[in-house]
Amino acid sequence: MTDTRDRYRAYADRIDGISPTYAAWARSVEGPLVDLLDTVPASKRQPELLFAVARRLGADPADPGALRALCREARPALVAALTTATVQANDPRRLGPVVPVLAALSAASARPLGLLDVGAAAGLCSIPDRVTLDHRSATAAGLVRMHTAVDGPAVRLVAEVVGTPPAPATTPIRIDARIALDPNPIDPAAPDAADRLAEAVPPEATDRTALMRDALRATLVEPPVRVRGSVPDDLDRALDALPGGCEPVVMTTGTLVYVPGVGRQRFVDRLRERGVRWVALERTGVLTGVAATLPEDVDPADPDAFATLSLDGRALAVSDAFGTRIRWFAGALD
């Protein structure tokens, strides 16, 4: 089993070219910091969570020694914050693989969608209808417009694709209602919402924070109804908050890795019992039923197969961690 120190060393090696500041922070996790992390639940030890909490408590990521200082000077506050915190970036780039699936569901339904975004944070992924999505591939000249956002504030995404993508949408996704389920939902209208979200990404990732701010503005046009809770315990309550007359669709984007295995299976089973559609972009292998439907040549260790896109438990594509590079499987949405 990989211990905490090795985990942070591996993270530092992965992120060094993207965020030297976070790589330096990860390499500073020694001795007392390792001991501190080993006192909190395993699901609370991931680097992104530690760094977001540390920044919220005033640590400067530009200072390589700031984590050690926080451990010395504010250990109880750091432990308490880690124990209750969740990673709340919910990067809108993850909508890249999801939008074509929701567009297909919308086109096939006589009713508008009722979207339940599980692990929604501020709802940055609750706006698939406000995404203009283009595909770029080696087999097509120029960009292929896959979905055009409804009028008003929106975000634009470009995904690199291989394989057999679905047909472009001919009409925007129709959404009648949206519910944001999260243990600690962020009010997108709160003055500190953008800063809270920025805490969850490396300080060098200015393009990501700019996109998140665009998504936040789009979210404010039709903010989701925030429901405080988690899955599987609060799934039914959140679904029941959707109004009648809509087609319920549950969406999870990088959420279920934080749900213990037994609870994860209860969530999957309950979705099946309720008969609602489920669109997921989750780490490859986390959902065993979905993994069983993957082509044999998919390697979970491949960075471009980090996440699996699925509909109702069937794999449609794999992508990198943020959905910017997608391999579509043949007949994905047939």
Side-chain angles (χ1 to χ4, degrees):
M1 179 181 293
T2 301
D3 65 19
T4 301
R5 183 180 180 278
D6 289 343
R7 179 181 186 177
Y8 275 77
R9 286 291 178 275
Y11 176 85
D13 292 342
R14 287 199 311 271
I15 205 169
D16 204 6
I18 300 169
S19 175
T21 57
Y22 271 13
W25 260 11
R27 292 188 177 107
S28 77
V29 175
E30 299 271 4
L33 262 173
V34 171
D35 295 341
L36 181 150
L37 288 167
D38 286 344
T39 67
V40 301
S43 62
K44 302 295 185 179
R45 297 174 195 165
Q46 63 264 35
E48 294 89 348
L49 183 62
L50 170 63
F51 299 165
V53 166
R55 291 172 69 176
R56 195 172 306 163
L57 293 175
D60 180 0
D63 177 3
L67 287 182
R68 290 193 296 266
L70 193 64
C71 180
R72 287 194 309 270
E73 299 163 11
R75 182 186 177 96
L78 182 56
V79 170
L82 273 175
T83 302
T84 58
T86 53
V87 177
Q88 291 188 278
N90 216 350
D91 196 307
R93 294 178 299 173
R94 290 181 175 137
L95 284 170
V98 169
V99 161
V101 184
L102 292 173
L105 292 179
S106 176
S109 176
R111 302 182 294 173
L113 305 184
L115 186 65
L116 170 56
D117 185 2
V118 175
L124 300 191
C125 287
S126 303
I127 54 165
D129 52 332
R130 295 191 171 274
V131 173
T132 292
L133 172 67
D134 289 329
H135 275 180
R136 179 187 288 119
S137 73
T139 60
L143 299 175
V144 176
R145 179 59 47 88
M146 296 298 293
H147 179 261
T148 301
V150 297
D151 292 338
V155 298
R156 181 172 181 266
L157 301 176
V158 178
E160 306 285 341
V161 299
V162 296
T164 310
T170 57
T171 56
I173 298 167
R174 295 171 297 125
I175 297 181
D176 183 56
R178 36 195 121 214
I179 301 290
L181 176 64
D182 196 276
N184 298 291
I186 298 173
D187 180 356
D192 65 343
D195 292 337
R196 286 279 306 279
L197 295 167
E199 290 171 352
V201 300
E204 295 91 343
T206 54
D207 56 337
R208 287 179 63 186
T209 53
L211 180 64
M212 291 164 74
R213 290 179 188 275
D214 287 344
L216 194 61
R217 284 190 287 271
T219 301
L220 286 170
V221 178
E222 294 181 80
V225 175
R226 299 187 303 282
V227 174
R228 186 178 296 274
S230 57
V231 294
D233 294 344
D234 299 293
L235 173 63
D236 284 309
R237 181 165 61 92
L239 279 170
D240 292 343
L242 289 169
C246 64
E247 181 76 26
V249 177
V250 174
M251 181 177 71
T252 65
T253 52
T255 301
L256 298 180
V257 70
Y258 302 111
V259 178
V262 173
R264 196 182 306 142
Q265 189 58 49
R266 282 177 53 207
F267 168 75
V268 174
D269 292 344
R270 188 57 181 153
L271 288 176
R272 189 175 294 114
E273 291 164 0
R274 293 281 304 239
V276 298
R277 309 307 300 264
W278 170 36
V279 181
L281 183 69
E282 296 290 344
R283 184 160 187 168
T284 297
V286 162
L287 297 165
T288 55
V290 172
T293 69
L294 285 167
E296 291 184 358
D297 64 347
V298 171
D299 179 4
D302 180 355
D304 283 347
F306 181 93
T308 298
L309 173 71
S310 62
L311 173 63
D312 301 334
R314 180 173 67 90
L316 307 179
V318 289
S319 77
D320 67 314
F322 294 106
T324 62
R325 298 185 302 277
I326 310 168
R327 171 192 168 188
W328 289 97
F329 304 142
L333 290 173
D334 291 348

